[in-house]
């Protein structure tokens, strides 16, 4: 009987895979043209978006031309560290108090935290921390055996996470994001454009204006979910005809250092305001992970090997990017274009999850407790590049 049943099951699974919806194949030449147009549009949007921030700094701040940038990395459920850190930091007063950020960027779990940090009220940050301290069982829901079918979008679905996101980031919340954007503040999240094979940042105050005007928040939510879409594990998102996944694949921290000097914020500020001193920029980087990968015995199974490899690769690339940010800061200062200070914080290397697994409430609360303690302590920040 078993010999008969197994072929039937396999045939049924194959049939289900064949019936999965597929995207229409676009010719390579068309994709290349689309990629050129998208890169041009992205460059123009970046210049336009940062122009408002430059004007705000130049005209409203007098001699105090400090631009504060908050950078939130990915890290999955480890985002509970960053969420609690920000809430505790916001409650500090006097020296070391949290500034109003001119720019906030987030990737993956950092993209989910970023809008709350951007608005920055004690109530917003407390709501964000509450979400991470109280994960629901259906935030991540495995598809079961069907999840391994090759044409499936992912191994798991995120119905609970989508529900919480849509409830917390409602029309009133999105309208507030748009209003802050009108003041010259910027909110970026990074995604990975799977069709083009490159990073694709989105400026969310622009997306918030569109969503507010149309009354349709779907695209705004999809951008955030795309940034947090762990490849193969969470479903990717199709936005404007392009497929997007986790921004951590291409850049787990987003800090805006452009390869083209003429496009840089510092160069453009000097050209626009030659009589003023250069900008002073302060980066505050929250790395929602540990610097050193905790050693562990990895089993030979492909899923264990793949998961560990992606984890190690993203951590290594994040540290490389952070070191590059320090090098960028030195170059800006030495050229005399302005000055950059970099401060960063990470989960202590000696922390270990009390419960194995992902999105486990006990582990997330443990991380939140650590984040809250460190956020309340102004000495938590490091001003030196991470060691190799």
């Amino acid at each position: 009987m078993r010999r008969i049943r197994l072929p039937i099951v396999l045939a049924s699974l194959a049939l289900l895979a064949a019936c999965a919806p597929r995207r229409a194949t676009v010719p390579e030449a068309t994709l290349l043209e689309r990629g050129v147009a998208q890169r041009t549009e992205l460059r123009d949007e970046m210049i336009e978006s940062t122009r408002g921030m430059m004007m705000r700094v130049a005209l409203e701040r007098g001699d105090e031309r400090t631009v504060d940038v908050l950078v939130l990395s990915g890290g999955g459920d480890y985002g509970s560290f960053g969420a609690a850190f920000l809430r505790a930091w916001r409650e500090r007063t006097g020296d070391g108090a949290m500034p109003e950020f001119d720019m906030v960027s987030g990737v993956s779990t950092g993209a989910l935290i970023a809008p709350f940090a951007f608005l920055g009220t004690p109530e917003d940050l407390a709501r964000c921390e509450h979400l991470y301290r109280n994960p629901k069982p259906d935030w991540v829901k495995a598809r079961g055996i069907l999840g391994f079918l090759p044409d499936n979008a992912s191994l798991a679905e995120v119905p609970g996470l989508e529900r919480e996101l849509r409830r917390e980031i409602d029309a009133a919340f999105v309208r507030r994001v748009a209003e802050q954007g009108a003041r010259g503040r910027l909110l970026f999240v990074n995604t990975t454009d799977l069709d083009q094979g490159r990073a694709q940042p989105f400026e969310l105050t622009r997306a918030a204006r569109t969503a507010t005007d149309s009354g349709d928040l779907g695209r705004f939510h999809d951008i955030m979910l795309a940034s947090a879409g762990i490849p193969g594990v969470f479903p990717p998102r199709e936005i404007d005809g392009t497929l997007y996944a986790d921004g951590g694949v291409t850049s787990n921290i987003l800090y805006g250092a452009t390869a083209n000097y003429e496009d840089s914020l510092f160069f453009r500020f000097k050209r626009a305001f030659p009589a003023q001193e250069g900008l002073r920029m302060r980066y505050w980087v929250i790395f929602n992970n540990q610097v050193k990968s905790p050693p562990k015995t990895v089993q030979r199974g492909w899923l264990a090997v793949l998961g560990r490899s992606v984890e190690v690769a993203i951590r290594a690339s994040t540290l490389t990017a952070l070191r590059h940010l320090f090098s960028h800061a030195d170059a800006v200062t030495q050229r005399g274009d302005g000055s950059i200070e970099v401060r960063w914080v990470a989960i202590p290397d000696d922390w270990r999850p009390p419960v194995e697994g992902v999105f486990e409430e006990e582990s997330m609360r443990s991380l939140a407790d650590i984040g809250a303690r460190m956020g309340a302590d102004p000495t938590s920040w490091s001003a030196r590049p991470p060691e190799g």
Side-chain angles (χ1 to χ4, degrees):
M1 190 67 180
R2 288 182 180 176
R3 292 179 181 177
I4 297 174
R5 188 180 300 151
L6 182 58
I8 293 175
V9 171
L10 293 176
S12 300
L13 294 179
L15 181 61
L16 286 171
C19 293
R22 298 183 66 88
R23 300 173 68 213
T25 301
V26 178
E28 182 177 342
T30 303
L31 288 174
L32 288 170
E33 292 176 3
R34 185 182 298 172
V36 171
Q38 288 174 341
R39 285 191 293 274
T40 301
E41 181 181 5
L42 176 62
R43 176 184 178 274
D44 293 344
E45 285 183 358
M46 292 292 185
I47 291 175
E48 180 184 345
S49 296
T50 53
R51 183 180 294 115
M53 185 181 70
M54 287 197 315
M55 296 298 295
R56 176 172 178 251
V57 171
L59 301 178
E60 295 181 9
R61 297 189 181 175
D63 294 333
E64 180 55 45
R65 286 174 295 277
T66 299
V67 175
D68 283 295
V69 182
L70 175 66
V71 179
L72 300 164
S73 86
D77 50 347
Y78 283 18
S80 55
F81 167 80
F85 185 101
L86 286 167
R87 189 271 308 160
W89 185 16
R90 180 65 176 81
E91 293 178 355
R92 290 207 320 249
T93 58
D95 292 341
M98 179 189 289
E100 180 184 62
F101 300 108
D102 300 284
M103 186 185 309
V104 175
S105 74
V107 182
S108 197
T109 196
L112 303 181
I113 300 170
F116 295 92
F118 180 70
L119 295 179
T121 69
E123 294 77 16
D124 289 312
L125 295 173
R127 286 168 59 197
C128 184
E129 180 183 4
H130 179 78
L131 285 173
Y132 276 88
R133 281 187 178 273
N134 298 278
K136 302 299 187 292
D138 66 345
W139 271 18
V140 180
K141 185 177 180 181
R143 295 181 189 270
I145 190 172
L146 298 182
F148 289 91
L149 293 175
D151 278 0
N152 248 325
S154 58
L155 294 173
E157 299 173 288
V158 288
L161 183 60
E162 292 182 14
R163 180 189 64 247
E164 302 277 348
L165 181 71
R166 292 187 171 91
R167 185 186 70 218
E168 294 293 335
I169 301 184
D170 58 12
F173 187 105
V174 173
R175 185 180 304 109
R176 292 169 61 207
V177 170
E179 290 169 352
Q180 290 301 310
R183 295 180 54 216
R185 300 179 65 217
L186 301 173
L187 173 60
F188 288 96
V189 301
N190 190 47
T191 67
T192 296
D193 180 336
L194 295 176
D195 292 342
Q196 297 293 333
R198 60 175 175 80
Q200 174 64 51
F202 286 90
E203 206 283 291
L204 281 188
T205 69
R206 180 185 296 268
R209 288 196 299 273
T210 301
T212 300
D213 291 343
S214 67
D216 183 0
L217 308 185
R219 185 173 183 274
F220 189 94
H221 293 147
D222 280 344
I223 291 171
M224 295 180 63
L225 290 166
S227 182
I230 302 171
V233 181
F234 294 171
R237 306 286 162 167
E238 189 166 347
I239 304 169
D240 305 330
T242 297
L243 198 64
Y244 295 95
D246 197 327
V249 172
T250 45
S251 183
N252 199 37
I253 58 172
L254 186 65
Y255 50 90
T258 175
N260 187 340
Y261 175 59
E262 287 74 19
D263 288 344
S264 71
L265 188 61
F266 291 91
F267 176 84
R268 290 166 46 224
F269 187 88
K270 283 182 63 177
R271 185 174 58 187
F273 305 101
Q276 296 193 20
E277 294 183 10
L279 288 175
R280 178 187 178 214
M281 187 170 286
R282 296 189 298 189
Y283 281 98
W284 308 90
V285 182
I286 297 179
F287 182 24
N288 288 302
N289 215 315
Q290 295 163 297
V291 172
K292 296 180 180 178
S293 180
K296 62 185 293 187
T297 300
V298 179
Q299 299 301 323
R300 295 178 181 272
W302 69 267
L303 197 56
V305 171
L306 178 63
R308 178 64 164 175
S309 299
V310 170
E311 170 204 334
V312 171
I314 291 180
R315 177 185 284 105
S317 67
T318 306
L319 296 175
T320 298
L322 187 52
R323 295 182 188 110
H324 175 264
L325 177 55
F326 274 93
S327 298
H328 171 64
D330 290 341
V332 167
T333 303
Q334 290 173 11
R335 279 197 303 257
D337 294 341
S339 66
I340 296 180
E341 298 176 10
V342 182
R343 300 289 184 271
W344 65 280
V345 67
I347 297 170
D349 286 334
D350 61 358
W351 179 81
R352 296 294 181 268
V355 178
E356 290 297 326
V358 296
F359 293 98
E360 294 288 346
E361 182 175 325
E362 186 176 348
S363 296
M364 294 177 71
R365 291 195 172 198
S366 172
L367 275 175
D369 290 341
I370 293 171
R373 286 197 298 270
M374 293 179 66
D377 182 1
T379 67
S380 296
W381 298 100
S382 175
R384 296 176 59 84
E387 297 180 358

